[in-house]
PDB file of all heavy atoms in Angstrom:
ATOM      1  N   ILE N   1     -55.235  28.868  18.839  1.00 97.00           N
ATOM      2  CA  ILE N   1     -56.200  29.127  17.768  1.00 97.00           C
ATOM      3  C   ILE N   1     -56.254  30.620  17.449  1.00 97.00           C
ATOM      4  O   ILE N   1     -56.283  31.022  16.278  1.00 97.00           O
ATOM      5  CB  ILE N   1     -57.599  28.592  18.152  1.00 97.00           C
ATOM      6  CG1 ILE N   1     -57.566  27.056  18.177  1.00 97.00           C
ATOM      7  CG2 ILE N   1     -58.665  29.102  17.206  1.00 97.00           C
ATOM      8  CD1 ILE N   1     -58.795  26.436  18.792  1.00 97.00           C
ATOM      9  N   PHE N   2     -56.245  31.459  18.475  1.00 95.00           N
ATOM     10  CA  PHE N   2     -56.268  32.913  18.265  1.00 95.00           C
ATOM     11  C   PHE N   2     -55.023  33.377  17.524  1.00 95.00           C
ATOM     12  O   PHE N   2     -55.111  34.164  16.578  1.00 95.00           O
ATOM     13  CB  PHE N   2     -56.383  33.629  19.613  1.00 95.00           C
ATOM     14  CG  PHE N   2     -56.270  35.120  19.497  1.00 95.00           C
ATOM     15  CD1 PHE N   2     -57.341  35.872  19.048  1.00 95.00           C
ATOM     16  CD2 PHE N   2     -55.089  35.766  19.822  1.00 95.00           C
ATOM     17  CE1 PHE N   2     -57.236  37.253  18.927  1.00 95.00           C
ATOM     18  CE2 PHE N   2     -54.975  37.135  19.707  1.00 95.00           C
ATOM     19  CZ  PHE N   2     -56.049  37.882  19.249  1.00 95.00           C
ATOM     20  N   THR N   3     -53.858  32.878  17.930  1.00 94.00           N
ATOM     21  CA  THR N   3     -52.612  33.275  17.292  1.00 94.00           C
ATOM     22  C   THR N   3     -52.572  32.836  15.833  1.00 94.00           C
ATOM     23  O   THR N   3     -52.156  33.605  14.955  1.00 94.00           O
ATOM     24  CB  THR N   3     -51.401  32.691  18.054  1.00 94.00           C
ATOM     25  OG1 THR N   3     -51.482  33.107  19.425  1.00 94.00           O
ATOM     26  CG2 THR N   3     -50.098  33.154  17.466  1.00 94.00           C
ATOM     27  N   ALA N   4     -53.008  31.619  15.562  1.00 92.00           N
ATOM     28  CA  ALA N   4     -53.041  31.133  14.183  1.00 92.00           C
ATOM     29  C   ALA N   4     -54.022  31.958  13.346  1.00 92.00           C
ATOM     30  O   ALA N   4     -53.723  32.317  12.206  1.00 92.00           O
ATOM     31  CB  ALA N   4     -53.422  29.656  14.146  1.00 92.00           C
ATOM     32  N   GLY N   5     -55.177  32.273  13.901  1.00 89.00           N
ATOM     33  CA  GLY N   5     -56.151  33.083  13.184  1.00 89.00           C
ATOM     34  C   GLY N   5     -55.652  34.488  12.922  1.00 89.00           C
ATOM     35  O   GLY N   5     -55.866  35.052  11.841  1.00 89.00           O
ATOM     36  N   LEU N   6     -54.963  35.064  13.895  1.00 88.00           N
ATOM     37  CA  LEU N   6     -54.393  36.399  13.718  1.00 88.00           C
ATOM     38  C   LEU N   6     -53.341  36.401  12.617  1.00 88.00           C
ATOM     39  O   LEU N   6     -53.285  37.317  11.798  1.00 88.00           O
ATOM     40  CB  LEU N   6     -53.783  36.883  15.033  1.00 88.00           C
ATOM     41  CG  LEU N   6     -53.214  38.290  15.036  1.00 88.00           C
ATOM     42  CD1 LEU N   6     -54.336  39.302  14.844  1.00 88.00           C
ATOM     43  CD2 LEU N   6     -52.477  38.553  16.334  1.00 88.00           C
ATOM     44  N   PHE N   7     -52.532  35.354  12.566  1.00 87.00           N
ATOM     45  CA  PHE N   7     -51.529  35.255  11.503  1.00 87.00           C
ATOM     46  C   PHE N   7     -52.195  35.151  10.136  1.00 87.00           C
ATOM     47  O   PHE N   7     -51.802  35.848   9.196  1.00 87.00           O
ATOM     48  CB  PHE N   7     -50.619  34.042  11.731  1.00 87.00           C
ATOM     49  CG  PHE N   7     -49.692  33.791  10.579  1.00 87.00           C
ATOM     50  CD1 PHE N   7     -48.576  34.582  10.393  1.00 87.00           C
ATOM     51  CD2 PHE N   7     -49.966  32.791   9.662  1.00 87.00           C
ATOM     52  CE1 PHE N   7     -47.732  34.376   9.321  1.00 87.00           C
ATOM     53  CE2 PHE N   7     -49.132  32.572   8.593  1.00 87.00           C
ATOM     54  CZ  PHE N   7     -48.006  33.365   8.417  1.00 87.00           C
ATOM     55  N   VAL N   8     -53.198  34.293  10.034  1.00 84.00           N
ATOM     56  CA  VAL N   8     -53.858  34.090   8.740  1.00 84.00           C
ATOM     57  C   VAL N   8     -54.536  35.367   8.272  1.00 84.00           C
ATOM     58  O   VAL N   8     -54.401  35.773   7.117  1.00 84.00           O
ATOM     59  CB  VAL N   8     -54.867  32.921   8.818  1.00 84.00           C
ATOM     60  CG1 VAL N   8     -55.766  32.896   7.601  1.00 84.00           C
ATOM     61  CG2 VAL N   8     -54.132  31.607   8.957  1.00 84.00           C
ATOM     62  N   VAL N   9     -55.252  36.037   9.163  1.00 84.00           N
ATOM     63  CA  VAL N   9     -55.976  37.239   8.767  1.00 84.00           C
ATOM     64  C   VAL N   9     -55.026  38.410   8.549  1.00 84.00           C
ATOM     65  O   VAL N   9     -55.161  39.160   7.592  1.00 84.00           O
ATOM     66  CB  VAL N   9     -57.043  37.609   9.826  1.00 84.00           C
ATOM     67  CG1 VAL N   9     -57.636  38.969   9.546  1.00 84.00           C
ATOM     68  CG2 VAL N   9     -58.131  36.563   9.851  1.00 84.00           C
ATOM     69  N   GLY N  10     -54.054  38.570   9.420  1.00 84.00           N
ATOM     70  CA  GLY N  10     -53.246  39.767   9.373  1.00 84.00           C
ATOM     71  C   GLY N  10     -51.966  39.704   8.583  1.00 84.00           C
ATOM     72  O   GLY N  10     -51.539  40.720   8.028  1.00 84.00           O
ATOM     73  N   PHE N  11     -51.333  38.559   8.516  1.00 85.00           N
ATOM     74  CA  PHE N  11     -49.985  38.542   7.982  1.00 85.00           C
ATOM     75  C   PHE N  11     -49.725  37.550   6.853  1.00 85.00           C
ATOM     76  O   PHE N  11     -48.669  37.618   6.226  1.00 85.00           O
ATOM     77  CB  PHE N  11     -48.989  38.255   9.113  1.00 85.00           C
ATOM     78  CG  PHE N  11     -49.055  39.271  10.211  1.00 85.00           C
ATOM     79  CD1 PHE N  11     -49.636  38.955  11.421  1.00 85.00           C
ATOM     80  CD2 PHE N  11     -48.562  40.551  10.026  1.00 85.00           C
ATOM     81  CE1 PHE N  11     -49.708  39.892  12.435  1.00 85.00           C
ATOM     82  CE2 PHE N  11     -48.628  41.488  11.032  1.00 85.00           C
ATOM     83  CZ  PHE N  11     -49.200  41.159  12.243  1.00 85.00           C
ATOM     84  N   ASP N  12     -50.627  36.638   6.600  1.00 84.00           N
ATOM     85  CA  ASP N  12     -50.351  35.608   5.599  1.00 84.00           C
ATOM     86  C   ASP N  12     -50.308  36.197   4.195  1.00 84.00           C
ATOM     87  O   ASP N  12     -51.213  36.905   3.776  1.00 84.00           O
ATOM     88  CB  ASP N  12     -51.410  34.505   5.645  1.00 84.00           C
ATOM     89  CG  ASP N  12     -51.104  33.420   4.645  1.00 84.00           C
ATOM     90  OD1 ASP N  12     -50.074  32.765   4.812  1.00 84.00           O
ATOM     91  OD2 ASP N  12     -51.891  33.245   3.704  1.00 84.00           O
ATOM     92  N   GLN N  13     -49.237  35.922   3.496  1.00 86.00           N
ATOM     93  CA  GLN N  13     -49.083  36.339   2.108  1.00 86.00           C
ATOM     94  C   GLN N  13     -48.756  35.124   1.243  1.00 86.00           C
ATOM     95  O   GLN N  13     -47.928  35.195   0.349  1.00 86.00           O
ATOM     96  CB  GLN N  13     -47.964  37.379   1.997  1.00 86.00           C
ATOM     97  CG  GLN N  13     -48.245  38.673   2.697  1.00 86.00           C
ATOM     98  CD  GLN N  13     -49.315  39.490   2.000  1.00 86.00           C
ATOM     99  OE1 GLN N  13     -49.499  39.405   0.792  1.00 86.00           O
ATOM    100  NE2 GLN N  13     -50.042  40.259   2.767  1.00 86.00           N
ATOM    101  N   GLY N  14     -49.390  33.998   1.553  1.00 85.00           N
ATOM    102  CA  GLY N  14     -49.156  32.781   0.804  1.00 85.00           C
ATOM    103  C   GLY N  14     -48.368  31.744   1.586  1.00 85.00           C
ATOM    104  O   GLY N  14     -48.106  30.654   1.091  1.00 85.00           O
ATOM    105  N   HIS N  15     -48.001  32.050   2.820  1.00 87.00           N
ATOM    106  CA  HIS N  15     -47.170  31.149   3.606  1.00 87.00           C
ATOM    107  C   HIS N  15     -47.865  29.831   3.940  1.00 87.00           C
ATOM    108  O   HIS N  15     -47.242  28.777   3.896  1.00 87.00           O
ATOM    109  CB  HIS N  15     -46.728  31.831   4.899  1.00 87.00           C
ATOM    110  CG  HIS N  15     -45.912  33.055   4.662  1.00 87.00           C
ATOM    111  ND1 HIS N  15     -46.494  34.300   4.596  1.00 87.00           N
ATOM    112  CD2 HIS N  15     -44.590  33.230   4.466  1.00 87.00           C
ATOM    113  CE1 HIS N  15     -45.553  35.185   4.374  1.00 87.00           C
ATOM    114  NE2 HIS N  15     -44.381  34.566   4.283  1.00 87.00           N
ATOM    115  N   VAL N  16     -49.138  29.894   4.293  1.00 86.00           N
ATOM    116  CA  VAL N  16     -49.854  28.686   4.712  1.00 86.00           C
ATOM    117  C   VAL N  16     -49.986  27.710   3.548  1.00 86.00           C
ATOM    118  O   VAL N  16     -49.663  26.531   3.679  1.00 86.00           O
ATOM    119  CB  VAL N  16     -51.242  29.044   5.293  1.00 86.00           C
ATOM    120  CG1 VAL N  16     -52.032  27.794   5.600  1.00 86.00           C
ATOM    121  CG2 VAL N  16     -51.084  29.892   6.549  1.00 86.00           C
ATOM    122  N   PHE N  17     -50.441  28.186   2.404  1.00 88.00           N
ATOM    123  CA  PHE N  17     -50.626  27.300   1.263  1.00 88.00           C
ATOM    124  C   PHE N  17     -49.315  26.950   0.568  1.00 88.00           C
ATOM    125  O   PHE N  17     -49.274  26.054  -0.269  1.00 88.00           O
ATOM    126  CB  PHE N  17     -51.604  27.891   0.257  1.00 88.00           C
ATOM    127  CG  PHE N  17     -53.048  27.702   0.637  1.00 88.00           C
ATOM    128  CD1 PHE N  17     -54.012  28.583   0.192  1.00 88.00           C
ATOM    129  CD2 PHE N  17     -53.453  26.649   1.434  1.00 88.00           C
ATOM    130  CE1 PHE N  17     -55.341  28.407   0.530  1.00 88.00           C
ATOM    131  CE2 PHE N  17     -54.775  26.470   1.779  1.00 88.00           C
ATOM    132  CZ  PHE N  17     -55.717  27.348   1.329  1.00 88.00           C
ATOM    133  N   SER N  18     -48.234  27.657   0.888  1.00 88.00           N
ATOM    134  CA  SER N  18     -46.957  27.325   0.254  1.00 88.00           C
ATOM    135  C   SER N  18     -46.458  25.951   0.690  1.00 88.00           C
ATOM    136  O   SER N  18     -45.650  25.348   0.002  1.00 88.00           O
ATOM    137  CB  SER N  18     -45.899  28.379   0.574  1.00 88.00           C
ATOM    138  OG  SER N  18     -45.509  28.306   1.932  1.00 88.00           O
ATOM    139  N   LEU N  19     -46.970  25.458   1.808  1.00 88.00           N
ATOM    140  CA  LEU N  19     -46.615  24.119   2.249  1.00 88.00           C
ATOM    141  C   LEU N  19     -47.127  23.064   1.275  1.00 88.00           C
ATOM    142  O   LEU N  19     -46.536  21.998   1.132  1.00 88.00           O
ATOM    143  CB  LEU N  19     -47.169  23.849   3.645  1.00 88.00           C
ATOM    144  CG  LEU N  19     -46.685  24.793   4.749  1.00 88.00           C
ATOM    145  CD1 LEU N  19     -47.463  24.555   6.018  1.00 88.00           C
ATOM    146  CD2 LEU N  19     -45.206  24.624   4.972  1.00 88.00           C
ATOM    147  N   VAL N  20     -48.236  23.373   0.605  1.00 88.00           N
ATOM    148  CA  VAL N  20     -48.851  22.431  -0.331  1.00 88.00           C
ATOM    149  C   VAL N  20     -48.542  22.797  -1.785  1.00 88.00           C
ATOM    150  O   VAL N  20     -48.149  21.945  -2.569  1.00 88.00           O
ATOM    151  CB  VAL N  20     -50.384  22.387  -0.119  1.00 88.00           C
ATOM    152  CG1 VAL N  20     -51.031  21.447  -1.107  1.00 88.00           C
ATOM    153  CG2 VAL N  20     -50.718  21.998   1.303  1.00 88.00           C
ATOM    154  N   TYR N  21     -48.711  24.097  -2.125  1.00 87.00           N
ATOM    155  CA  TYR N  21     -48.593  24.523  -3.519  1.00 87.00           C
ATOM    156  C   TYR N  21     -47.210  25.036  -3.905  1.00 87.00           C
ATOM    157  O   TYR N  21     -46.974  25.322  -5.075  1.00 87.00           O
ATOM    158  CB  TYR N  21     -49.617  25.619  -3.821  1.00 87.00           C
ATOM    159  CG  TYR N  21     -51.040  25.144  -3.752  1.00 87.00           C
ATOM    160  CD1 TYR N  21     -51.928  25.665  -2.833  1.00 87.00           C
ATOM    161  CD2 TYR N  21     -51.503  24.172  -4.625  1.00 87.00           C
ATOM    162  CE1 TYR N  21     -53.228  25.224  -2.760  1.00 87.00           C
ATOM    163  CE2 TYR N  21     -52.814  23.727  -4.568  1.00 87.00           C
ATOM    164  CZ  TYR N  21     -53.666  24.259  -3.634  1.00 87.00           C
ATOM    165  OH  TYR N  21     -54.948  23.824  -3.572  1.00 87.00           O
ATOM    166  N   GLY N  22     -46.336  25.216  -2.948  1.00 89.00           N
ATOM    167  CA  GLY N  22     -44.992  25.710  -3.256  1.00 89.00           C
ATOM    168  C   GLY N  22     -45.004  27.196  -3.551  1.00 89.00           C
ATOM    169  O   GLY N  22     -45.803  27.958  -3.013  1.00 89.00           O
ATOM    170  N   ASP N  23     -44.117  27.623  -4.456  1.00 90.00           N
ATOM    171  CA  ASP N  23     -43.965  29.049  -4.760  1.00 90.00           C
ATOM    172  C   ASP N  23     -45.194  29.652  -5.439  1.00 90.00           C
ATOM    173  O   ASP N  23     -45.392  30.869  -5.389  1.00 90.00           O
ATOM    174  CB  ASP N  23     -42.742  29.272  -5.648  1.00 90.00           C
ATOM    175  CG  ASP N  23     -41.445  29.057  -4.874  1.00 90.00           C
ATOM    176  OD1 ASP N  23     -41.477  29.199  -3.640  1.00 90.00           O
ATOM    177  OD2 ASP N  23     -40.425  28.751  -5.509  1.00 90.00           O
ATOM    178  N   GLN N  24     -46.021  28.833  -6.051  1.00 89.00           N
ATOM    179  CA  GLN N  24     -47.236  29.335  -6.708  1.00 89.00           C
ATOM    180  C   GLN N  24     -48.190  29.975  -5.704  1.00 89.00           C
ATOM    181  O   GLN N  24     -48.930  30.891  -6.040  1.00 89.00           O
ATOM    182  CB  GLN N  24     -47.941  28.198  -7.462  1.00 89.00           C
ATOM    183  CG  GLN N  24     -49.128  28.637  -8.276  1.00 89.00           C
ATOM    184  CD  GLN N  24     -48.757  29.598  -9.395  1.00 89.00           C
ATOM    185  OE1 GLN N  24     -47.673  29.525  -9.960  1.00 89.00           O
ATOM    186  NE2 GLN N  24     -49.653  30.516  -9.706  1.00 89.00           N
ATOM    187  N   ALA N  25     -48.162  29.546  -4.459  1.00 87.00           N
ATOM    188  CA  ALA N  25     -49.054  30.096  -3.437  1.00 87.00           C
ATOM    189  C   ALA N  25     -48.749  31.567  -3.161  1.00 87.00           C
ATOM    190  O   ALA N  25     -49.650  32.332  -2.830  1.00 87.00           O
ATOM    191  CB  ALA N  25     -48.929  29.297  -2.140  1.00 87.00           C
ATOM    192  N   PHE N  26     -47.499  31.977  -3.311  1.00 88.00           N
ATOM    193  CA  PHE N  26     -47.139  33.383  -3.099  1.00 88.00           C
ATOM    194  C   PHE N  26     -47.650  34.270  -4.228  1.00 88.00           C
ATOM    195  O   PHE N  26     -47.815  35.466  -4.055  1.00 88.00           O
ATOM    196  CB  PHE N  26     -45.623  33.532  -2.954  1.00 88.00           C
ATOM    197  CG  PHE N  26     -45.077  32.864  -1.717  1.00 88.00           C
ATOM    198  CD1 PHE N  26     -44.366  31.682  -1.816  1.00 88.00           C
ATOM    199  CD2 PHE N  26     -45.295  33.407  -0.466  1.00 88.00           C
ATOM    200  CE1 PHE N  26     -43.862  31.067  -0.690  1.00 88.00           C
ATOM    201  CE2 PHE N  26     -44.810  32.791   0.673  1.00 88.00           C
ATOM    202  CZ  PHE N  26     -44.090  31.625   0.561  1.00 88.00           C
ATOM    203  N   THR N  27     -47.929  33.689  -5.373  1.00 89.00           N
ATOM    204  CA  THR N  27     -48.490  34.433  -6.495  1.00 89.00           C
ATOM    205  C   THR N  27     -50.009  34.493  -6.411  1.00 89.00           C
ATOM    206  O   THR N  27     -50.615  35.532  -6.656  1.00 89.00           O
ATOM    207  CB  THR N  27     -48.077  33.770  -7.829  1.00 89.00           C
ATOM    208  OG1 THR N  27     -46.659  33.667  -7.869  1.00 89.00           O
ATOM    209  CG2 THR N  27     -48.567  34.576  -9.012  1.00 89.00           C
ATOM    210  N   ASP N  28     -50.639  33.369  -6.035  1.00 89.00           N
ATOM    211  CA  ASP N  28     -52.104  33.292  -6.026  1.00 89.00           C
ATOM    212  C   ASP N  28     -52.728  33.998  -4.821  1.00 89.00           C
ATOM    213  O   ASP N  28     -53.792  34.592  -4.952  1.00 89.00           O
ATOM    214  CB  ASP N  28     -52.556  31.840  -6.052  1.00 89.00           C
ATOM    215  CG  ASP N  28     -52.180  31.161  -7.355  1.00 89.00           C
ATOM    216  OD1 ASP N  28     -51.969  31.871  -8.358  1.00 89.00           O
ATOM    217  OD2 ASP N  28     -52.097  29.920  -7.361  1.00 89.00           O
TER     218      ASP N  28
END
């Protein structure tokens, strides 16, 4: 849970939502 939270807060640039929204998540 800590590692996932650290990724989301510190490094996510649309990667998590790209699983659902595709390339649009990297723009939004």
